[in-house]
Amino acid sequence: AVCSMGNSTSRLYSVLAKTLSSGAVSQHQDCLEQLDSAQLDPIDPKDLLEECQIVLQKRPPRFQRNFVNLKKNTASNHRPIRVMQWNILAQALGEGKDNFVQCPMEALKWEERKCLILEEILAYKPDILCLQEVDHYFDTFEPLLSRLGYQCTFFPKPWSPCLDVEHNNGPDGCAMFFLKERFELVSSANIRLTAMKLKTNQVAIAQTLKCHETGRLFCIAVTHLKARTGWERFRSAQGCDLLQNLKSITQGAKIPLIVCGDFNAEPTEEVYREFSNSSLNLNSAYKLLSPDGQSEPPYTTWKIRPSGECRHTLDYIWYSQHALNVNSALGLLTEEQIGPNRLPSFNYPSDHLSLVCDFSFNQDPDRLL
């Protein structure tokens, strides 16, 4: 075997589980990551992809998605930075709480579904990967992605709904991964979002990175806001809190910013307007796929629950439009590809679509906002 695919609960995860009740996760996290990375040898992504494909040989092939070239005539003198945003669907929620009535339970088996997730990541080879609903970080994503050359960070929700599911694998949370050969970590912040001055169950990670090739600094953030109808004001407050944190970290937009997340909010919501109108001068990258460059995609998630069919645009990649250019974006799955039973499925591991963009730095870093 090329590597451990996380078939059983790892020794490291057992250590983490003991810290949850005491609220000491953050104290142990760095130690755990250092232990894990030090003990594992690098692996070739082709070998890992091959192992995934062996596991998936009885499943239908991956959907074909193409990148759409959005580059203007401005030439870039550096390799683009590929950013991937994805709510991968927490395993405990997929099997235990989300009630995807048209998805066979067999399609949700972790041993195969994790390979579908890894196959998607390996296919697009992101320089930076931002994930939500990660509940197999310590036994799957950290050990594997660290061996692929990524630096890994995880911040679990304080009261993850995964913990209410029998035989869960611990809390879900946000995770961020960046290639160490391309970037150096300058600073990192784990942010527990507040709303109406109260600490909430939603979190974010914000890291300032230095690009080895250009020497330029930029900030990358990942978040997952409160779900469900009726919580619009709550999401708005969380968004305001995140923006305030990011203004401080980026020194008021002096440092370019990319924010990835499942905002659980349609473009009609207040939190979307807050990000659109922020002094950080952010634009939503996937708007650029529309004919006029002003409209979000028709959906980023599409599922069927007992209450009915849910088709929404909730996932975004925001970026500093004064400092960064979007060279290309990965096209979304068509309705025909998704199929009548919607997501997740034997073909696709999550109820959310992955978003992938290639960014380049503006050639005039001193340009005014």
Side-chain angles (χ1 to χ4, degrees):
V2 175
C3 60
S4 165
M5 295 291 291
N7 291 329
S8 59
T9 305
S10 68
R11 179 181 59 79
L12 291 173
Y13 178 71
S14 300
V15 175
L16 173 71
K18 290 172 187 170
T19 71
L20 289 176
S21 56
S22 65
V25 175
S26 58
Q27 295 173 28
H28 291 265
Q29 190 166 310
D30 290 343
C31 172
L32 288 170
E33 289 179 2
Q34 287 164 14
L35 269 172
D36 205 36
S37 301
Q39 291 172 355
L40 298 170
D41 297 323
I43 52 175
D44 188 322
K46 290 178 185 173
D47 291 338
L48 181 56
L49 183 58
E50 191 176 302
E51 185 172 328
C52 288
Q53 288 167 345
I54 290 168
V55 174
L56 297 170
Q57 56 192 340
K58 292 182 181 175
R59 291 212 180 198
R62 279 185 68 256
F63 293 123
Q64 179 62 41
R65 296 170 67 185
N66 298 314
F67 280 90
V68 179
N69 186 10
L70 302 167
K71 199 171 183 180
K72 297 168 186 168
N73 294 325
T74 53
S76 171
N77 59 3
H78 69 89
R79 190 157 50 109
I81 296 168
R82 176 162 291 181
V83 176
M84 184 173 188
Q85 147 60 29
W86 200 11
N87 178 333
I88 60 171
L89 174 61
Q91 184 63 22
L93 301 184
E95 286 187 309
K97 279 197 161 195
D98 276 344
N99 293 318
F100 301 117
V101 292
Q102 296 294 100
C103 179
M105 283 302 289
E106 193 183 346
L108 295 170
K109 283 168 48 180
W110 179 241
E111 293 313 308
E112 294 183 8
R113 198 172 77 85
K114 72 181 171 192
C115 291
L116 273 179
I117 296 169
L118 291 165
E119 187 183 42
E120 180 103 345
I121 294 167
L122 291 163
Y124 300 124
K125 303 173 186 166
D127 299 303
I128 300 170
L129 173 63
C130 294
L131 302 179
Q132 299 86 36
E133 290 199 24
V134 178
D135 62 347
H136 275 271
Y137 176 81
F138 288 98
D139 68 355
T140 301
F141 293 103
E142 196 275 343
L144 287 173
L145 291 173
S146 65
R147 295 172 75 183
L148 292 170
Y150 289 92
Q151 183 153 327
C152 315
T153 305
F154 176 61
F155 193 25
K157 293 175 184 170
W159 317 300
S160 166
C162 293
L163 298 176
D164 298 332
V165 178
E166 196 176 0
H167 307 304
N168 67 74
N169 200 62
D172 76 302
C174 291
M176 185 183 292
F177 310 84
F178 67 84
L179 284 177
K180 291 184 283 187
E181 69 173 20
R182 292 213 65 187
F183 312 108
E184 173 191 337
L185 180 63
V186 175
S187 66
S188 185
N190 287 354
I191 303 163
R192 184 172 172 188
L193 298 175
T194 63
M196 299 89 170
K197 298 185 179 177
L198 297 172
K199 290 182 176 179
T200 73
N201 193 34
Q202 281 65 46
V203 300
I205 302 168
Q207 297 191 328
T208 302
L209 305 181
K210 182 177 182 179
C211 176
H212 290 317
E213 190 178 341
T214 63
R216 300 278 296 271
L217 293 179
F218 68 100
C219 177
I220 178 83
V222 58
T223 195
H224 187 186
L225 301 187
K226 173 68 182 168
R228 295 193 176 81
T229 305
W231 292 85
E232 292 80 6
R233 286 184 63 198
F234 198 82
R235 281 190 287 274
S236 174
Q238 289 183 326
C240 284
D241 182 46
L242 179 56
L243 284 168
Q244 282 301 120
N245 276 280
L246 293 174
K247 281 174 190 172
S248 173
I249 291 167
T250 62
Q251 300 165 30
K254 285 182 183 174
I255 298 170
L257 174 65
I258 299 170
V259 185
C260 295
D262 174 357
F263 279 62
N264 275 307
E266 291 273 9
T268 51
E269 271 198 36
E270 181 63 32
V271 67
Y272 182 93
R273 291 193 289 276
E274 285 162 2
F275 270 72
S276 294
N277 301 326
S278 162
S279 62
L280 294 174
N281 197 28
L282 299 172
N283 193 19
S284 173
Y286 264 71
K287 279 168 51 176
L288 303 179
L289 287 180
S290 65
D292 61 357
Q294 298 300 313
S295 306
E296 292 289 352
Y299 50 84
T300 62
T301 179
W302 200 341
K303 55 204 149 199
I304 301 174
R305 283 178 167 153
S307 55
E309 194 159 341
C310 311
R311 190 185 90 149
H312 299 292
T313 301
L314 306 177
D315 307 89
Y316 306 96
I317 300 179
W318 298 91
Y319 70 101
S320 300
Q321 55 189 337
H322 61 284
L324 296 164
N325 300 309
V326 184
N327 297 1
S328 61
L330 183 66
L332 299 172
L333 294 178
T334 64
E335 180 176 358
E336 184 181 26
Q337 284 176 311
I338 290 171
N341 294 331
R342 310 312 184 200
L343 304 172
S345 65
F346 281 108
N347 300 69
Y348 198 78
S350 177
D351 55 326
H352 289 252
L353 300 177
S354 62
L355 308 182
V356 186
C357 290
D358 289 338
F359 290 97
S360 59
F361 290 108
N362 190 302
Q363 296 309 296
D364 185 7
D366 299 319
R367 182 174 155 195
L368 296 175
L369 302 189

